[in-house]
Amino acid sequence: MGITRRDFLNGVAITVAAGLTPGEILRAAPQTAQQTLHYPPGLTGLRGNHPGSFEHAHLLARDGGKFNFAALPVEEEYDLVVVGAGISGLAAACFWQQLKGKQQRILLLDNHDDFGGHAKRNELKSDNGTLLGYGGSESLQSPRSNFSPVAMGLLTSLGVSIDGLEQAFDKTFYPDLNLSRGVYFDRQNFGVDKLVSGDPGRMVADDIPRDRLNGRPYTEFIGDFPLPESDRQALIALHTVKKDYLPELSAEEKINWLDTHSYTQFLREKVGLSEMAIRYFQQTTSDFQAVGIDATSCSDALICDLPGLDGMNLPPLDAESLADLNDPYVFHFPDGNATLARLMVRHLIPQVAPPGKDMHDIVQARFDYSQLDRSAWPVKLRLSSTGLHVANVGEQVEVSYMTGDKLRKVRAGQVVMAGYNMMIPYLVPEMSPQQQEALKQNVKSPLVYSKVLIRNWQSFVQLGVHEVYCPTAPYCRVKLDYPVDLGGYQHPRDPNQPMGLHMVHVPILPGSGLSPREQARKGRAQLLGTSFAEHERMIREQLQGMLGSAGFDHQRDIQAITVNRWSHGYSYFLNGLFDDEEEAQKIIDTARQPVGNITIANSDSDWSPYANSAIDQAWRAVNELVSGQAAKKEEA
């Protein structure tokens, strides 16, 4: 069974029409598709960096000289233009209003057909109603430990309650059903399709209480692996016996060794595991680090709580890493951080949604996208509009962008660049070569978050799992959706009813010896060359191999698929194997310097993939503009 007619009408048609502009797609689509396209969260098929969102930017990077920006007439004038309507761009607009007043004229531009950037809302229609899912930015990571007063202040002003989020998350829902985490060994790499339940290990950013993992002893859990007996015994010893694998080194020398050697090297050279046993760990870091263990330092593996590193009398982890390991990962809206983006949009453009005051009344609110770009409103959010050129002209800034097939220009007093660091040098060519090079060092990691609507989840119950790690399959992690009841939305509770699956694919190149940046570039090309049909095939084959023994039939049981493809996903962050910390900070500082009346706000400008970093950088950027304005007034 292939893609259903509903899948086609809800978004796969965009893949077929990838060469068309958004306007041409609308004109070519039947009425049902037109209606759906006006409400992006309801689209299935290929989402994330969807067709139509990146072609103009790629053309600019390849041959920017074909555009004659100087000849464009200025059509509109604003106090502030924000290029990029993700969390950082939206936060910048909110902070600007806070500091300058709600009468300020603000224009937000975004190349996607929806706002929020990586904070993407997915709505899946089932016979039992609409299921909400997240297509990108997932949760608030350790807000009580790691969020700044600025980030917490914005959340509070929008009506987000950290305590309320924690209460809305049913931490023991899956444990109470006697479900655990498991691991799936695929036939192609291990000779058999086998799912083993009862993983007793904790995870970084864990949503399950440590005493409710429903794990079996390692001897039983690993004893069921389809591996040779010698490999099973070696893995059991690694997990259960505390051993100093670097006894000849001092504490300082151990730290240096762990910083400069990959976890693969450690397992091979110090632990002595076979290549087959090492293969079991290959994708343990893919979801959190966006690279495999061969490009992850042992120090970063320690942060992920991988085995074998806790018997060497190492110094304690830093506070942020400890928070990632120990704080409950439960600060999750039903649609991920899309709720945060929606709250900011409603704050900026109240007409887009029914009146509301907090996170509870927005969860199920249907947004009217026709209200985002109205001439009467002081704030406008213009979607499917790709920024192409931003230049200081006298005391103002001119911004040229492409909407559909039309090149347009607006003028503003100030501009915030809130897109990807890698693209900013092409958009702001007047900046110094040193700053351009610094910006290009943030090579974002490609990844895919696929949401799969299944008819029921009895197969998971029969197999005793709610989340599955897959060492070598295309999707490294498969999990039943987080159990969150918020704002009248009810998480599925009956295994006989439909459920949304979250699946994570990171196009890594294990064994290549390439740096994370090099892997990201090659992975991005691979991802952009992978069709929705190919993703559908991978999803169906993997789920069938994983769940087929429990009666799962992909032809019967898969009802919809949304592939959130992020060719530019996680922000680049410090990698101990390839980066010097002091040098990295110099690169960060150089990259985010203001250029006249243009400043930079995004999570990339902090080398951090987290929502709170995006907010903090928006605050910094807006304050740079306001301070610059004040300084000019004093000079005058």
Side-chain angles (χ1 to χ4, degrees):
M1 176 180 174
I3 304 161
T4 65
R5 181 175 182 272
R6 178 178 61 190
D7 289 327
F8 183 85
L9 293 178
N10 284 357
V12 180
I14 297 178
T15 308
V16 178
L20 301 179
T21 67
E24 290 169 334
I25 293 171
L26 282 171
R27 290 191 291 272
Q31 182 65 26
T32 50
Q34 288 190 41
Q35 293 169 346
T36 302
L37 286 172
H38 285 301
Y39 191 66
L43 299 177
T44 56
L46 197 59
R47 302 295 295 147
N49 295 134
H50 57 78
S53 67
F54 57 87
E55 290 82 356
H56 291 134
H58 285 187
L59 178 62
L60 175 70
R62 286 195 302 267
D63 193 5
K66 288 187 175 180
F67 295 99
N68 185 6
F69 301 114
L72 289 172
V74 173
E75 299 180 9
E76 300 168 300
E77 298 208 12
Y78 293 90
D79 298 298
L80 177 72
V81 168
V82 181
V83 181
I87 286 179
S88 199
L90 293 168
C94 291
F95 289 141
W96 184 267
Q97 272 195 344
Q98 176 184 325
L99 296 175
K100 303 289 288 185
K102 288 199 170 185
Q103 78 286 352
Q104 291 282 295
R105 295 161 299 161
I106 302 173
L107 174 67
L108 296 110
L109 300 170
D110 199 274
N111 55 313
H112 296 92
D113 63 8
D114 203 354
F115 56 80
H118 294 141
K120 181 77 68 179
R121 178 179 171 104
N122 291 158
E123 296 184 8
L124 299 171
K125 304 294 183 183
S126 77
D127 295 337
N128 224 35
T130 298
L131 296 183
L132 298 180
Y134 55 97
S137 185
E138 184 174 290
S139 302
L140 304 178
Q141 178 91 33
S142 300
R144 295 193 181 106
S145 302
N146 295 339
F147 277 37
S148 69
V150 167
M152 291 298 289
L154 178 64
L155 295 181
T156 300
S157 71
L158 295 170
V160 174
S161 165
I162 297 301
D163 291 341
L165 280 177
E166 185 167 15
Q167 292 163 9
F169 195 110
D170 191 343
K171 300 177 187 177
T172 64
F173 175 67
Y174 292 124
D176 288 345
L177 293 173
N178 294 317
L179 303 184
S180 66
R181 292 196 179 96
V183 57
Y184 166 57
F185 297 91
D186 63 283
R187 182 182 302 273
Q188 181 176 349
N189 288 280
F190 294 95
V192 63
D193 285 318
K194 185 173 185 180
L195 195 154
V196 179
S197 65
D199 187 344
R202 65 173 181 169
M203 289 180 58
V204 63
D206 206 337
D207 58 293
I208 304 296
R210 197 170 304 174
D211 60 349
R212 295 300 311 277
L213 294 172
N214 289 336
R216 296 186 286 161
Y218 277 113
T219 52
E220 294 180 18
F221 173 62
I222 296 175
D224 281 344
F225 287 8
L227 297 175
E229 173 67 17
S230 59
D231 286 338
R232 295 200 300 271
Q233 291 304 318
L235 287 173
I236 290 170
L238 176 65
H239 283 85
T240 59
V241 179
K242 285 193 175 184
K243 179 179 177 180
D244 188 348
Y245 290 96
L246 301 170
E248 73 282 4
L249 301 183
S250 67
E252 185 176 346
E253 289 171 333
K254 286 178 182 177
I255 294 171
N256 181 65
W257 196 96
L258 296 175
D259 284 343
T260 55
H261 290 76
S262 73
Y263 190 60
T264 296
Q265 289 176 291
F266 170 73
L267 295 177
R268 180 182 295 129
E269 299 171 12
K270 299 301 179 181
V271 180
L273 293 186
S274 73
E275 294 305 309
M276 179 66 82
I278 292 173
R279 188 179 298 176
Y280 165 70
F281 292 102
Q282 179 55 48
Q283 295 197 109
T284 49
T285 55
S286 293
D287 192 5
F288 194 70
Q289 299 286 122
V291 288
I293 59 171
D294 55 323
T296 297
S297 72
C298 292
S299 296
D300 289 335
L302 182 64
I303 293 172
C304 294
D305 204 40
L306 294 184
L309 301 167
D310 59 350
M312 293 190 279
N313 297 313
L314 298 171
L317 295 173
D318 62 271
E320 183 174 350
S321 298
L322 281 173
D324 288 342
L325 273 176
N326 295 327
D327 288 1
Y329 190 68
V330 297
F331 306 99
H332 179 86
F333 303 99
D335 58 359
N337 289 333
T339 283
L340 182 55
R342 282 157 56 89
L343 284 166
M344 288 190 282
V345 169
R346 186 175 68 179
H347 172 80
L348 294 165
I349 309 172
Q351 298 82 2
V352 76
K357 61 179 181 177
D358 59 25
M359 66 183 187
H360 296 282
D361 52 43
I362 204 168
V363 172
Q364 299 191 89
R366 185 176 176 91
F367 273 35
D368 181 357
Y369 279 69
S370 70
Q371 299 294 325
L372 292 176
D373 190 6
R374 290 291 185 92
S375 59
W377 313 146
V379 179
K380 301 175 182 62
L381 202 169
R382 196 161 290 164
L383 297 171
S384 299
S385 298
T386 304
L388 295 178
H389 191 257
V390 182
N392 288 285
V393 179
E395 294 298 313
Q396 295 183 300
V397 185
E398 293 183 353
V399 180
S400 302
Y401 64 97
M402 185 78 80
T403 294
D405 52 4
K406 183 175 176 57
L407 195 59
R408 306 175 68 178
K409 181 190 286 185
V410 296
R411 181 183 293 137
Q414 315 284 332
V415 169
V416 173
M417 303 299 296
Y420 308 149
N421 266 15
M422 287 179 63
M423 277 305 301
I424 293 175
Y426 301 102
L427 274 64
V428 190
E430 69 186 83
M431 65 175 49
S432 71
Q434 293 80 8
Q435 185 171 7
Q436 292 188 28
E437 183 59 31
L439 285 161
K440 291 178 181 179
Q441 294 306 302
N442 195 292
V443 182
K444 296 171 83 73
S445 302
L447 74 158
V448 176
Y449 279 3
S450 287
K451 316 302 286 194
V452 180
L453 180 66
I454 55 175
R455 187 171 61 93
N456 64 64
W457 42 292
Q458 280 288 358
S459 55
F460 282 83
V461 173
Q462 290 184 36
L463 291 166
V465 293
H466 61 87
E467 180 174 349
V468 182
Y469 160 63
C470 311
T472 50
Y475 281 81
C476 64
R477 198 163 298 280
V478 180
K479 61 195 294 185
L480 299 173
D481 198 12
Y482 288 119
V484 177
D485 294 342
L486 189 69
Y489 177 77
Q490 297 291 314
H491 176 266
R493 293 185 173 273
D494 183 351
N496 293 307
Q497 297 300 320
M499 171 69 87
L501 300 183
H502 178 63
M503 301 181 65
V504 180
H505 168 63
V506 183
I508 58 176
L509 301 169
S512 66
L514 298 176
S515 71
R517 289 185 178 91
E518 292 169 317
Q519 289 197 43
R521 292 187 182 101
K522 292 183 180 297
R524 175 160 40 257
Q526 174 187 328
L527 198 56
L528 289 172
T530 303
S531 66
F532 176 85
E534 178 62 15
H535 275 288
E536 181 189 21
R537 183 194 64 78
M538 291 191 298
I539 288 167
R540 289 181 179 276
E541 287 185 359
Q542 183 167 338
L543 290 180
Q544 190 62 47
M546 181 188 308
L547 307 172
S549 64
F552 180 85
D553 181 343
H554 73 93
Q555 293 183 323
R556 178 194 65 210
D557 293 331
I558 293 179
Q559 297 188 322
I561 297 173
T562 301
V563 175
N564 297 281
R565 173 186 65 181
W566 299 110
S567 50
H568 298 268
Y570 289 160
S571 166
Y572 186 83
F573 47 91
L574 188 75
N575 184 297
L577 285 179
F578 301 93
D579 299 307
D580 176 81
E581 190 168 353
E582 290 185 8
E583 182 61 27
Q585 190 58 52
K586 291 177 183 177
I587 294 171
I588 291 170
D589 293 339
T590 299
R592 65 191 185 196
Q593 290 301 305
V595 181
N597 290 327
I598 305 167
T599 191
I600 297 171
N602 50 38
S603 64
D604 289 1
S605 59
D606 197 32
W607 279 23
S608 169
Y610 298 115
N612 57 303
S613 296
I615 294 169
D616 287 341
Q617 295 308 308
W619 177 252
R620 171 196 51 77
V622 167
N623 276 274
E624 285 174 348
L625 293 179
V626 173
S627 298
Q629 281 184 327
K632 288 177 182 178
K633 286 182 180 179
E634 288 182 7
E635 291 175 4

